[in-house]
Amino acid sequence: MAPSKFNSTDSFGHGDAGVSRPHSENGFGDSLSLLQSEKAVQEILQQTPVHGSDDHLIEFSEALRTVAKALRRAAEGKAAAQAEAAEWKRRFELERARNLRLENKEQSFKENNSVSEGGRLENSTSQPVLLNQEREHSNRACLEHGICSHEVLQDAKDVDSNMVNNKIMKKASFKLSWRCKGENSDQHKHDIVYFERGNITTAERSSKQISLKWESPPQTVVILTKPNSNSVQILCAQMVRWLREQKKLNIYVEPRVRAELLTESSYFSFVQTWKDEKEILLLHTKVDLVVTLGGDGTVLWAASIFKGPVPPIVPFSLGSLGFMTPFHSEHYKDYLDSVLRGPISITLRNRLQCHVIRDAAKNEIEIEDPILVLNEVTIDRGISSYLTNLECYCDNSFVTCVQGDGLILSTTSGSTAYSLAAGGSMVHPQVPGILFTPICPHSLSFRPLILPEHVTLRVQIPFNSRSPAWASFDGKDRKQLAPGDALVCSMAPWPVPTACQVDSTDDFFRSIHDGLHWNLRKTQSSFDVPLDV
Ligand SMILES: NC(=O)c1ccc[n+]([C@@H]2O[C@H](COP(=O)([O-])OP(=O)(O)OC[C@H]3O[C@@H](n4cnc5c(N)ncnc54)[C@H](O)[C@@H]3O)[C@@H](O)[C@H]2O)c1
Ligand SMILES: Nc1ncnc2c1ncn2[C@@H]1O[C@H](COP(=O)(O)OP(=O)(O)OP(=O)(O)O)[C@@H](O)[C@H]1O
């Protein structure tokens, strides 16, 4: 992301940018007064009908309209800057938390000479050095061999919560690399585009198949299940027992599921769970693998639990459609066996990060927490019978105004869900892009778009909108957007890695064939008589 644009309210590119100067220059004070002034100007314009003969009034009202436009742009600049400020703040806090964690970790290794049995953390005086070396080595490996290497996520201040049977639980490390079909060597070229002797050649493509290889065995699994289903409950109990007895894994489930298991038998008392939101936020530091039992909704649910990094997910299909659930539950032992052994193909499913920017909160530094979606964010008319009136911007360029039932901003994973029903294209989940799909637009020429992954989209509810709009996130958590509010949306830095049954492409085609019966048609019969060629 580009550096903060606090002083760039004049970069909307609509011609009269000079009007929206930084606050001290334009004489209007802060954005609050900007928007109040805009409202006041709009009111004057509405209350004062101008007749064809009033030349001065026409001139005056034109000038007022220009001022109103300039004020709106300044306010929009503020909304974008707020979103960006929040993003930088979040990054800063993440970085600070990471540094603190590393410092604590090294400190705690210095203090504890021999932390656990089993020789894992013996020779602790040399451990910090080793950790540094490991980290350096892994960083180098990351740069040399793949898109990302591993990170050992032992949170020092969470040592207690990560201790099971007096053993420190260390997250399993793994390496992700491109799997190059047909390429003999493991060599990777890192420049994405080559420019040699005047010829431009692409070398790396982000849509190559990604392979996950465990560098230490996974130890902890969380199983997430669809509620209100007997078959899911039965399978869950069998899987927990098998993973514990045959694979010696630590197992987490949701509090509801733990209660169900304990009602069945006290045997399941080893199963762990979490108490509150704070513990859920730490789940990714303890869990090596996520297993979902349900349909696509359960995968969406699993993704929504992880507000930051997501461990690899193995989605078992116990629903009716299952676009994102390629594993059949009958063969769960074979599948889990091979996943735990690795290497496995994975699909890195991008998520969208959505910020709701309230007009009413324009003076506050804090804005609402971002919401991450795996399928899509939808802005629609809710229960209102009026057309939506959504002003859309891509980075700082005006895109269009959506007048219709609403707009879907979808990931490529979500392209087979609501966006598809609204006429959007189906897109392979590893294609980096954001789908811009209108819902029942009241115009003959509004075709859906696919935009590059790096853009920031902003959907603004104008003050003259007849009614509020509603945003929903993966079909849930509806939020009202009042006139003046905006939704800012960009690609999140934390994708959802889902295990493939075969590979990303094979799984994708299988899902559209089996799930949608895509382009299924009786084969046309051949001619009965031989063709005269
Ligand atoms: N008109 C529509 O098609 C429509 C309307 C509302 C919501 N939805 C979709 O439902 C999703 C929420 O799913 P849920 O299971 O929690 O709700 P749900 O139980 O109402 O199921 C919605 C259906 O959408 C399917 N689905 C979900 N994600 C999919 C994907 N990525 N590809 C193909 N199909 C997918 C599910 O399998 C299910 O059959 C939303 O994110 C939205 O995409 C679709
Ligand atoms: N662990 C969970 N806790 C709460 N709600 C869940 C959980 N898992 C799934 N859900 C919700 O339950 C609903 C149904 O789940 P899911 O889509 O997986 O099942 P399904 O409808 O049988 O499958 P399909 O979507 O393939 O038809 C969804 O709305 C989903 O958000």
Side-chain angles (χ1 to χ4, degrees):
M1 190 181 280
S4 177
K5 296 171 191 152
F6 281 102
N7 282 333
S8 62
T9 47
D10 55 354
S11 59
F12 278 80
H14 297 305
D16 49 354
V19 190
S20 346
R21 289 270 176 263
H23 302 157
S24 54
E25 281 178 47
N26 66 19
F28 284 103
D30 61 10
S31 292
L32 173 67
S33 53
L34 284 176
L35 287 159
Q36 279 168 348
S37 316
E38 191 209 350
K39 273 185 198 163
V41 169
Q42 294 283 11
E43 274 164 22
I44 296 173
L45 285 172
Q46 275 164 15
Q47 285 164 14
T48 324
V50 179
H51 303 294
S53 57
D54 302 337
D55 278 356
H56 277 98
L57 278 180
I58 291 173
E59 218 172 276
F60 183 58
S61 70
E62 284 306 313
L64 274 178
R65 264 184 240 285
T66 310
V67 171
K69 243 160 104 187
L71 290 169
R72 153 134 310 276
R73 274 175 213 138
E76 284 163 357
K78 164 110 194 239
Q82 266 186 324
E84 204 156 324
E87 175 62 15
W88 280 109
K89 184 168 168 256
R90 186 188 60 72
R91 285 183 187 195
F92 170 77
E93 277 166 3
L94 272 179
E95 192 63 24
R96 198 172 52 173
R98 201 176 70 95
N99 287 344
L100 266 176
R101 252 197 337 257
L102 287 174
E103 270 171 29
N104 286 345
K105 185 165 24 178
E106 285 171 14
Q107 188 63 32
S108 82
F109 276 120
K110 272 183 197 148
E111 283 166 15
N112 304 311
N113 263 356
S114 179
V115 182
S116 79
E117 86 266 49
R120 230 176 177 202
L121 298 176
E122 277 169 11
N123 193 10
S124 62
T125 43
S126 63
Q127 201 66 36
V129 181
L130 269 180
L131 268 176
N132 280 335
Q133 284 174 349
E134 253 178 54
R135 203 182 315 142
E136 249 173 49
H137 174 77
S138 82
N139 286 346
R140 227 177 305 126
C142 175
L143 289 173
E144 280 166 15
H145 301 301
I147 50 167
C148 171
S149 185
H150 68 264
E151 196 183 354
V152 180
L153 285 162
Q154 171 58 49
D155 196 332
K157 65 179 185 311
D158 296 318
V159 163
D160 286 347
S161 57
N162 280 11
M163 285 189 72
V164 172
N165 303 332
N166 289 333
K167 273 194 205 161
I168 284 201
M169 310 221 332
K170 220 175 168 193
K171 250 188 85 119
S173 58
F174 57 77
K175 196 175 115 180
L176 297 185
S177 54
W178 302 127
R179 206 184 70 200
C180 307
K181 268 190 189 160
E183 280 178 31
N184 293 332
S185 89
D186 226 11
Q187 285 272 305
H188 292 284
K189 293 173 179 156
H190 288 283
D191 292 334
I192 291 175
V193 178
Y194 274 96
F195 188 75
E196 251 171 38
R197 285 190 227 142
N199 300 324
I200 297 173
T201 320
T202 53
E204 279 286 359
R205 289 191 183 87
S206 57
S207 51
K208 266 188 197 162
Q209 181 58 56
I210 296 160
S211 175
L212 179 153
K213 190 174 172 194
W214 298 107
E215 292 189 322
S216 61
Q219 296 178 47
T220 306
V221 172
V222 59
I223 304 177
L224 299 171
T225 60
K226 169 173 83 169
N228 310 319
S229 162
N230 273 335
S231 53
V232 166
Q233 220 171 307
I234 292 166
L235 178 69
C236 177
Q238 287 172 356
M239 194 180 273
V240 167
R241 202 181 272 271
W242 183 78
L243 285 172
R244 181 67 173 188
E245 291 173 2
Q246 304 299 317
K247 300 290 168 193
K248 312 279 179 262
L249 293 181
N250 306 302
I251 294 154
Y252 279 85
V253 294
E254 290 170 89
R256 160 184 60 82
V257 179
R258 186 169 192 272
E260 285 166 6
L261 289 169
L262 285 176
T263 316
E264 198 179 310
S265 161
S266 59
Y267 164 83
F268 292 107
S269 55
F270 61 86
V271 174
Q272 300 174 68
T273 189
W274 48 88
K275 282 198 297 283
D276 48 33
E277 282 289 312
K278 230 170 97 189
E279 287 191 24
I280 296 180
L281 287 178
L282 286 174
L283 200 59
H284 73 276
T285 64
K286 300 171 180 169
V287 164
D288 299 316
L289 204 63
V290 181
V291 169
T292 62
L293 308 180
D296 294 319
T298 312
V299 178
L300 296 175
W301 175 265
S304 73
I305 282 186
F306 296 95
K307 315 275 183 223
V310 190
I313 298 184
V314 190
F316 282 94
S317 141
L318 284 110
S320 59
L321 265 186
F323 276 75
M324 295 189 282
T325 58
F327 293 94
H328 297 296
S329 54
E330 314 90 77
H331 308 298
Y332 77 88
K333 291 179 190 169
D334 295 340
Y335 285 135
L336 286 177
D337 225 14
S338 98
V339 168
L340 291 168
R341 232 179 311 115
I344 50 168
S345 290
I346 60 162
T347 304
L348 283 187
R349 296 179 182 276
N350 280 317
R351 290 195 282 183
L352 292 174
Q353 178 166 269
C354 313
H355 285 96
V356 173
I357 317 260
R358 300 281 177 202
D359 176 50
K362 57 189 163 286
N363 276 345
E364 289 161 23
I365 297 167
E366 292 298 325
I367 57 170
E368 294 176 26
D369 282 343
I371 302 169
L372 298 174
V373 293
L374 175 53
N375 268 353
E376 78 283 289
V377 53
T378 305
I379 304 107
D380 60 33
R381 62 189 170 84
I383 54 164
S384 161
S385 46
Y386 297 118
L387 292 178
T388 55
N389 183 0
L390 310 172
E391 278 177 10
C392 304
Y393 299 85
C394 176
D395 291 333
N396 289 325
S397 305
F398 175 71
V399 181
T400 192
C401 186
V402 180
Q403 298 185 88
D405 279 358
L407 173 72
I408 301 167
L409 300 178
S410 170
T411 62
T412 45
S413 291
S415 70
T416 44
Y418 198 0
S419 169
L420 168 88
S425 182
M426 292 193 285
V427 188
H428 188 298
Q430 276 192 204
V431 175
I434 303 176
L435 283 80
F436 184 97
T437 314
I439 311 170
C440 297
H442 194 236
S443 106
L444 295 178
S445 53
F446 197 159
R447 295 299 175 99
L449 300 175
I450 303 178
L451 301 164
E453 60 170 344
H454 56 79
V455 299
T456 297
L457 291 161
R458 189 159 45 85
V459 179
Q460 182 84 42
I461 318 299
F463 284 111
N464 63 359
S465 175
R466 286 194 178 185
S467 59
W470 290 82
S472 60
F473 305 87
D474 283 344
K476 299 216 168 356
D477 303 329
R478 271 174 107 60
K479 280 177 188 259
Q480 196 182 47
L481 301 176
D485 292 351
L487 185 123
V488 177
C489 180
S490 57
M491 204 61 95
W494 306 288
V496 176
T498 56
C500 303
Q501 218 256 77
V502 180
D503 59 42
S504 294
T505 303
D506 194 278
D507 285 10
F508 173 64
F509 286 126
R510 203 179 290 216
S511 73
I512 60 173
H513 288 145
D514 296 354
L516 291 175
H517 303 153
W518 179 62
N519 194 27
L520 204 63
R521 181 193 186 278
K522 275 191 164 180
T523 310
Q524 194 177 31
S525 60
S526 57
F527 292 126
D528 288 343
V529 286
L531 269 182
D532 231 4
V533 202

